[in-house]
Amino acid sequence: MKVRDSSAPHTLGEYVDPLPRIGHRASGDGADRGTGDGLVTAGPSGGDESLDDRVPFLARLESEDRSALLSLGRELSFTTRTVLLRQSEPSSHVLIVTHGWTKVTAAAANGYEALLALRGPGDIVGESAALTGRPRSATVTALEPVRTVALVREHFRDFLARSPAVSFALLGLTSDRTRAADRRRLEFASLSVRERFAALLLDLARTNGRRTEEGIELSVPLSKQELAGSVGASREMVQRLLKELRERDAVLTGRRTMVILRMDVLRRIARG
């Protein structure tokens, strides 16, 4: 089964061999104007621990375990905006993303949709429902063309039962994601919407940004509603915040596109 595609953007290639290093800095000459550092500068919470949940599942495994796990599944491809997994549906399989980016969302009873996370190459989705047997807790949607390897729930569980190292890696990932969710709840309680939004843009720049001549372009296309759902705000509030940032020459925006010109402005806002 072919899962490597190192010639294309957003692929699994960087996670195969060698493994990615936590804290890798992007090349460039400090496009964030005056900061001089790369894209991995810690957000308001500070510390390298803020990067732990960004290390994808496959990057935590030895090459032999990765190959053995992927060989159990079959490849599935999804077009942009296609739903990979749907909230409340029963679980029959897990997906390992090998190319492209997805968004994880959850809808409340009143229809409000929150953006919970972005998952990309090397990430696993649907594992919680597969392990517990409960309905899926969130919806996963392709933000661009996505390729995955699908593993039947029973095969996945059997593999974990006979592979302690992989089980511990999955436990570590679950723990890191829980810690990230706890940090996010703390931010919601302690920061204003304006500060949360600036922190979100910093996080997206660090994890999904690519340096251009103008600044740092966010490589994952998100709508204003999706940005709003990530910080617990309305679409109108996000429009006002973006207008403020444009007036301060901190960002350039288009339809589902954004270039961050002034990381230092976002950092000052995020720090309150």
Side-chain angles (χ1 to χ4, degrees):
M1 179 186 308
K2 181 181 179 181
V3 296
R4 298 187 65 170
D5 187 4
S6 58
S7 63
H10 312 312
T11 68
L12 178 64
E14 63 184 296
Y15 297 115
V16 180
D17 283 316
L19 295 180
R21 297 182 181 273
I22 300 174
H24 171 71
R25 290 179 179 272
S27 61
D29 56 356
D32 43 348
R33 295 187 188 178
T35 62
D37 52 8
L39 303 186
V40 296
T41 303
S45 57
D48 288 342
E49 66 177 0
S50 62
L51 293 174
D52 290 349
D53 63 302
R54 301 300 184 183
V55 181
F57 179 53
L58 289 185
R60 298 167 185 252
L61 306 183
E62 297 294 335
S63 58
E64 295 82 359
D65 289 330
R66 287 199 297 273
S67 298
L69 179 62
L70 293 171
S71 69
L72 297 176
R74 63 189 182 94
E75 291 185 330
L76 294 178
S77 298
F78 300 88
T79 57
T80 304
R81 296 286 154 179
T82 299
V83 173
L84 285 67
L85 305 174
R86 194 177 300 276
Q87 183 177 349
S88 300
E89 286 186 348
S91 170
S92 61
H93 62 283
V94 302
L95 295 174
I96 298 177
V97 181
T98 58
H99 176 98
W101 283 87
T102 67
K103 64 173 182 175
V104 182
T105 59
N110 63 1
Y112 184 84
E113 185 176 83
L115 177 64
L116 304 181
L118 300 177
R119 301 290 182 228
D123 276 321
I124 185 171
V125 291
E127 77 286 353
S128 178
L131 293 175
T132 63
R134 297 173 182 170
R136 301 199 186 281
S137 59
T139 295
V140 181
T141 307
L143 289 172
E144 57 186 356
V146 167
R147 293 199 299 270
T148 68
V149 173
L151 292 87
V152 175
R153 180 180 63 186
E154 290 74 15
H155 294 170
F156 179 64
R157 290 166 61 103
D158 290 345
F159 184 85
L160 293 178
R162 63 178 186 270
S163 306
V166 178
S167 297
F168 278 113
L170 184 60
L171 180 62
L173 175 65
T174 302
S175 175
D176 286 341
R177 287 180 177 178
T178 300
R179 286 163 62 91
D182 289 343
R183 288 196 300 270
R184 185 174 179 179
R185 281 192 289 270
L186 177 61
E187 287 184 350
F188 266 60
S190 61
L191 302 180
S192 66
V193 172
R194 185 171 179 267
E195 293 163 347
R196 293 201 300 267
F197 187 65
L200 171 66
L201 296 185
L202 287 171
D203 193 40
L204 290 174
R206 185 175 66 241
T207 58
N208 300 95
R210 55 175 171 242
R211 198 174 294 278
T212 67
E213 293 182 357
E214 291 181 305
I216 299 169
E217 181 181 4
L218 302 187
S219 58
V220 175
L222 293 172
S223 67
K224 292 183 179 65
Q225 185 59 56
E226 289 162 346
L227 292 171
S230 187
V231 295
S234 66
R235 187 176 185 277
E236 291 71 26
M237 172 61 78
V238 166
Q239 285 180 318
R240 289 197 294 272
L241 292 173
L242 287 174
K243 182 175 183 291
E244 175 192 341
L245 291 174
R246 286 194 298 266
E247 290 173 346
R248 297 179 66 174
D249 294 323
V251 302
L252 291 175
T253 61
R255 188 176 184 276
R256 294 188 185 276
T257 62
M258 185 183 303
V259 178
I260 296 176
L261 307 176
R262 297 288 304 274
M263 294 280 281
D264 56 315
V265 170
L266 294 180
R267 289 193 186 98
R268 284 198 296 270
I269 296 174
R271 294 186 186 114

